[in-house]
Amino acid sequence: MTYSTFNKTKNDALKEPMFFGQNVNVARYDQQRHAIFEKLIEKQLSFFWRPEEVDLSTDRKDFMAMPEHEQHIFLSNLKYQTLLDSVQGRSPNVAFLPVVSLPELETWLETWSFSETVHSRSYTHIIRNVVADPNVVFDDIVDNPEIVKRAESVTRYYDEFIAKVNLYNLVGEGEHELNGEQVTINMRELKRLLYLTIASVNVLEAVRFYVSFACSFAFAERAIMEGNAKVIKLIARDEALHLAGTQHIMNIMANGQDDLEMVEVAAECAAEVQEIFREAAEQEKEWASYLFKDGSMIGLNAEILKEYVEYITNVRIRALGFDDMFEGRNANPLPWMNAWLVSDNVQVAPQEAEISSYLVGAIDSDMDDADFDDFDL
Amino acid sequence: MMVPDPILFAMNNSRVTVNEHTVFEYDAEFSLLDSMEENDVPMEYNCRGGYCGLCKVQLTAGKVEWVQDSLVPLEEGEVLACCCVPDGPIAIET
């Protein structure tokens, strides 16, 4: 099935599945099959922010004054986050847009992915401000074995899904001989890969980011690197939206509210989804050891961070209808994190910060002459 | 006999009853969810921002004040614990 940028077959988008139906034609948002994606778009748009709005001038001084092992923690987390958002700034578009069938979901994918590019730009903003030579940080992302190992896990499902969708769009379903190799493309396998890819993205946004978040907020709890923490707080606010997005996609599929074949696919994939979560949690715990290999930071160490990884993995996997992965890990070992993870809890004047309910240009046009009765000149 | 100040009484009277047996005082936490966690009352959540719908509870008595928007549809009497705080004494079913 060749991808069409404007499918000329008239259809009712309310009857299409989320994926692998007809390619989207009219981008209309007055009606939605799954209204949650339209609401996520609106929320994400209201959250728009620019990294340059956050002043990082004191962060540079804080960074210079840090002991070397804390600089390692800070920069390693920035490298890892740069990797994750490099992937997320493009992959939802490349992987899912060729097979999406609902206008609201198509635009959510684009809006979501765009916001990840803002995150990537914010890492450049931070790195430029805290180190003299940004190359030292950026170049290490593709050289550092600890980061490269994670990159493989983060991109494996995306890359396999993209490769299979490319073939599907090129040659369609069936048995094919390509470059001397037998290749089978069938819809059931594509749907299985789709579900697993979305699960791996959910893990990326809902688990993998949180070790870095914890370290950034722990620095700020000591009143250092506060500009960085403000940026990370904005990123965390976006990530909460994104993880809800993939949670809804997976639950809509599994609960039979969309393509009914996906109910079977989700059930078949249950063990593999759990394995994706387990692998990510173990990698994040290894990452905590790597971060603290030369020493802990005040208020945080590898052990408590590993407990947090287990706790947050349980929270995330339960949201998808699974049982706890780490038995007994139900109390948050870092309860102070929640104050940093509250979406709208910014205790400053709205015009000084990025508060979702404070919309620039919000005008009440529902007025008449009587509204001016109390005015005296 | 001292008559209690009605304003102070109302301010202090933020008792939360969960599933008809667990009782705690709301203590100015950001949300009902935070208050439940503070008081070791188990509650599902995922996003803490009103997007995922996991912390949906049934408000069986009292009123709440909204502190964040809910993006998920709510039936009559349903509230998201991450999006509201008690406005006086309340009872909820999880």
Side-chain angles (χ1 to χ4, degrees), chain A residues 36 39-40 43 47 202 237 240-241 243-244 247-248 251 311-312 315-316 318-319 332 338 341-345 356-357, chain B residues 30-31 33-34 37-38 40 42-54 67-74 82:
Chain A
I36 185 66
K39 290 179 179 169
L40 289 172
K43 199 57 146 176
F47 278 176
N202 182 269
R237 185 180 68 170
L241 268 182
L243 72 89
Q247 174 210 303
H248 283 299
N251 287 343
Y311 162 78
I312 205 75
V315 168
R316 304 316 189 198
R318 281 203 308 270
N332 187 352
N338 288 342
L341 296 174
V342 168
S343 292
D344 287 351
N345 189 21
S356 64
S357 54
Chain B
F30 173 72
S31 70
L33 174 63
D34 287 276
E37 289 172 338
E38 192 69 30
D40 298 322
M43 187 64 219
E44 292 297 321
Y45 79 91
N46 201 20
C47 72
R48 312 186 80 83
Y51 330 129
C52 75
L54 251 80
V67 292
Q68 298 194 105
D69 300 334
S70 161
L71 265 58
V72 295
L74 297 171
C82 74

Side-chain angles (χ1 to χ4, degrees), chain A residues 174-185:
Chain A
E175 299 273 343
H176 307 282
E177 194 180 316
L178 297 166
N179 298 328
E181 272 184 46
Q182 280 301 119
V183 179
T184 305
I185 303 292

Side-chain angles (χ1 to χ4, degrees), chain A residues 222-241:
Chain A
R222 289 161 48 195
I224 59 170
M225 309 306 287
E226 288 182 297
N228 172 74
K230 190 173 180 195
V231 171
I232 300 298
K233 188 179 190 304
L234 292 167
I235 291 174
R237 185 180 68 170
D238 289 341
E239 293 308 335
L241 268 182

Side-chain angles (χ1 to χ4, degrees), chain A residues 85-339:
Chain A
D85 275 316
S86 299
V87 171
Q88 282 304 96
R90 62 182 75 101
S91 307
N93 289 341
V94 179
F96 305 131
L97 289 185
V99 295
V100 71
S101 302
L102 301 178
E104 70 273 19
L105 182 54
E106 180 184 55
T107 305
W108 165 242
L109 293 167
E110 294 171 308
T111 309
W112 160 27
S113 204
F114 168 69
S115 78
E116 307 284 18
T117 68
V118 176
H119 301 177
S120 294
R121 298 183 70 78
S122 72
Y123 305 137
T124 297
H125 179 55
I126 294 165
I127 290 166
R128 263 188 194 143
N129 274 276
V130 298
V131 296
D133 179 11
N135 289 325
V136 175
V137 180
F138 287 125
D139 289 351
D140 193 47
I141 294 170
V142 286
D143 292 335
N144 183 321
E146 292 297 326
I147 309 243
V148 170
K149 195 160 67 181
R150 278 152 190 78
E152 202 282 318
S153 296
V154 164
T155 56
R156 190 192 321 141
Y157 285 98
Y158 263 138
D159 289 351
E160 191 180 352
F161 182 66
I162 290 166
K164 285 276 166 65
V165 167
N166 283 346
L167 288 176
Y168 169 66
N169 280 332
L170 192 66
V171 294
E173 284 187 82
E175 299 273 343
H176 307 282
E177 194 180 316
L178 297 166
N179 298 328
E181 272 184 46
Q182 280 301 119
V183 179
T184 305
I185 303 292
N186 73 65
M187 187 47 72
R188 182 68 167 221
E189 174 64 5
L190 285 168
K191 288 182 179 178
R192 197 184 70 82
L193 268 176
L194 167 70
Y195 189 76
L196 292 174
T197 304
I198 292 167
S200 78
V201 182
N202 182 269
V203 168
L204 190 165
E205 312 219 77
V207 176
R208 290 187 185 273
F209 271 109
Y210 281 74
V211 166
S212 302
F213 288 168
C215 293
S216 288
F217 298 147
F219 281 125
E221 289 276 320
R222 289 161 48 195
I224 59 170
M225 309 306 287
E226 288 182 297
N228 172 74
K230 190 173 180 195
V231 171
I232 300 298
K233 188 179 190 304
L234 292 167
I235 291 174
R237 185 180 68 170
D238 289 341
E239 293 308 335
L241 268 182
H242 305 165
L243 72 89
T246 45
Q247 174 210 303
H248 283 299
I249 294 172
M250 290 180 75
N251 287 343
I252 286 169
M253 287 172 169
N255 296 337
Q257 296 163 273
D258 195 73
D259 175 359
L260 292 178
E261 193 181 6
M262 289 309 294
V263 179
E264 288 174 19
V265 170
E268 279 170 17
C269 291
E272 212 165 334
V273 169
Q274 286 171 299
E275 196 42 47
I276 289 170
F277 272 80
R278 187 181 306 282
E279 184 194 21
E282 292 308 326
Q283 285 190 340
E284 291 311 301
K285 289 195 277 181
E286 282 174 27
W287 181 250
S289 295
Y290 170 71
L291 290 176
F292 295 106
K293 66 185 172 63
D294 301 322
S296 299
M297 54 190 277
I298 299 165
L300 208 54
N301 59 44
E303 284 317 303
I304 202 161
L305 211 41
K306 288 176 190 178
E307 289 175 14
Y308 184 71
V309 169
E310 293 187 353
Y311 162 78
I312 205 75
T313 303
N314 278 350
V315 168
R316 304 316 189 198
I317 203 160
R318 281 203 308 270
L320 299 175
F322 292 93
D323 293 333
D324 282 349
M325 180 152 285
F326 298 100
E327 214 172 307
R329 189 67 73 200
N330 292 317
N332 187 352
L334 302 176
W336 50 265
M337 279 276 284
N338 288 342

Side-chain angles (χ1 to χ4, degrees), chain A residues 30-48:
Chain A
D30 58 319
Q31 54 174 35
Q32 305 97 30
R33 175 160 186 192
H34 299 298
I36 185 66
F37 300 115
E38 174 67 9
K39 290 179 179 169
L40 289 172
I41 294 165
E42 294 202 349
K43 199 57 146 176
Q44 184 72 73
L45 291 176
S46 78
F47 278 176
F48 180 76

